[in-house]
Amino acid sequence: MKVAIITGGGSGLGAVYLKTIRKRYPELDEYWIIDIQEDKMKEVSGNDPKIRPVLMNLSEDDSYVYLNKLLEDNNADIRILINNAGVETVASFEEAPERKLVNTVRVNSEAVMRIDKTCIPFMREGSSIIHTASIYAFSPVPGDAVYAASKAFVRSLSLALHEELKEKGINVMVLSPGGMNTAMDRSDLRKKSLLSMPFLDMEKVANGALDQAEKGKASYVPTLYYRLYTLFCKLFPSSFTARIIGSNYKK
Ligand SMILES: NC(=O)c1ccc[n+]([C@@H]2O[C@H](COP(=O)([O-])OP(=O)(O)OC[C@H]3O[C@@H](n4cnc5c(N)ncnc54)[C@H](OP(=O)(O)O)[C@@H]3O)[C@@H](O)[C@H]2O)c1
C-alpha cells in the first residue's frame, strides 16, 4: 500500500501538509496522520476514507512498536514521510518546568530519529523524507535554549541522512521555517522581537518544501527574509549570534 505519513498532522503546519499532499499526490492509497489528540485528527480528516488517523504519543516507547506493526500489517510502501510534530516552551532555562524541557527533547529530537528509524525500512527509491526544523536550528537561542538545541539536532541529523540515504535513492530534506501562526503560539515572541518576525503562509511553505524535496534538495528555508536570518547565523560566530538573538527575549 502506497502511503504518505505526516506526524503532527492534526494541526498547524502538519494539517496544511495533509491538505497539500492529498491534492498533490492523489495516486497514493492512504494518507496517515500521526498525532496525540483524536478529535483534532478527526476534524482535519473530515470523512475522507483515504485519510487514516493514527493516535500515537511520540514520547512513548510503545508507540514505535505499534507503528512498526501497522506498517508491516499494511505492507506499507512509504512514498513521503513528513516528520513534523513538535513542541515548544518559551521560557528561560531556569523558569521552564523540567518535564516540559524533557518532552521538548523527546518530541522534537528523539521522536524524529525514532520515526525515521521505524519508517526507513518501509521506504525505497524515489521516496522522500522532510523534517521540520526551524530557523532556530542555525544559532543558539537564549530564552528558548532547549527548543533551539532540539532543532539543531534535527538539522544535523537531516543533513547527515541526506548523504547516507542517497545511495538508496531516498531524499532527506530539512525544512527550516520562521514564524507561523499556529497553535504553537509565537505572539509573545513577536512582541519581544526587535525585528517583529513575519508569519509565513503555510500553504506556500508546504508546497515550497515539496517542490524542493522533489528536486532532491537537502535543505530549504522559506522566504528571503528568513534566508537572510540564517545567513547572519552562518557569517558570525555562534557566541555572537546567540547574544544578539537572545537580546530579543529579555523582558
Ligand atoms: N509555529 C512556528 O512559528 C514554527 C516555527 C518554526 C518551526 N516550527 C515547527 O513546525 C512544526 C509544526 O508545528 P506547528 O507550528 O504546526 O505547531 P502545532 O500546531 O502545535 O503542531 C504540532 C503538532 O504536533 C503534535 N504533538 C505534540 N506532541 C506530540 C506527541 N508527543 N505525540 C504526537 N503528536 C504530538 C501537537 O499536538 P498537541 O497540539 O496536542 O500538542 C500538534 O498537533 C514543529 O516541529 C515546530 O517546531 C514551528
Side-chain angles (χ1 to χ4, degrees), residues 4-11 14-15 17-19 30-38 40-46 50-56:
I5 298 181
I6 303 156
T7 71
S11 73
Y17 259 126
L18 171 66
K19 225 171 105 189
E30 283 194 3
Y31 306 80
W32 295 9
I33 49 172
I34 293 176
D35 214 298
I36 200 170
Q37 288 186 57
E38 202 159 26
K40 284 199 311 191
M41 286 197 284
K42 275 194 184 143
E43 206 177 300
V44 300
S45 309
K50 280 184 145 194
I51 298 175
R52 186 194 294 226
V54 180
L55 188 63
M56 250 176 77

Side-chain angles (χ1 to χ4, degrees), residues 105 109 136-137 139-141 144-155:
V105 174
S109 301
Y136 283 3
S139 166
V141 180
D144 209 0
V146 173
Y147 178 79
S150 73
K151 293 299 184 179
F153 174 96
V154 174
R155 181 162 182 267

Side-chain angles (χ1 to χ4, degrees), residues 7-14 34-37 40 56-59 84-87 103 107-108 132-135 147 151 177-184 186 199 202:
T7 71
S11 73
L13 181 62
I34 293 176
D35 214 298
I36 200 170
Q37 288 186 57
K40 284 199 311 191
M56 250 176 77
N57 183 346
L58 292 163
S59 299
N84 163 79
V87 291
N103 194 48
V107 178
N108 294 8
T132 307
S134 161
I135 51 156
Y147 178 79
K151 293 299 184 179
M180 296 178 289
N181 195 8
T182 66
M184 195 171 277
R186 313 306 303 274
F199 280 141
M202 285 188 277

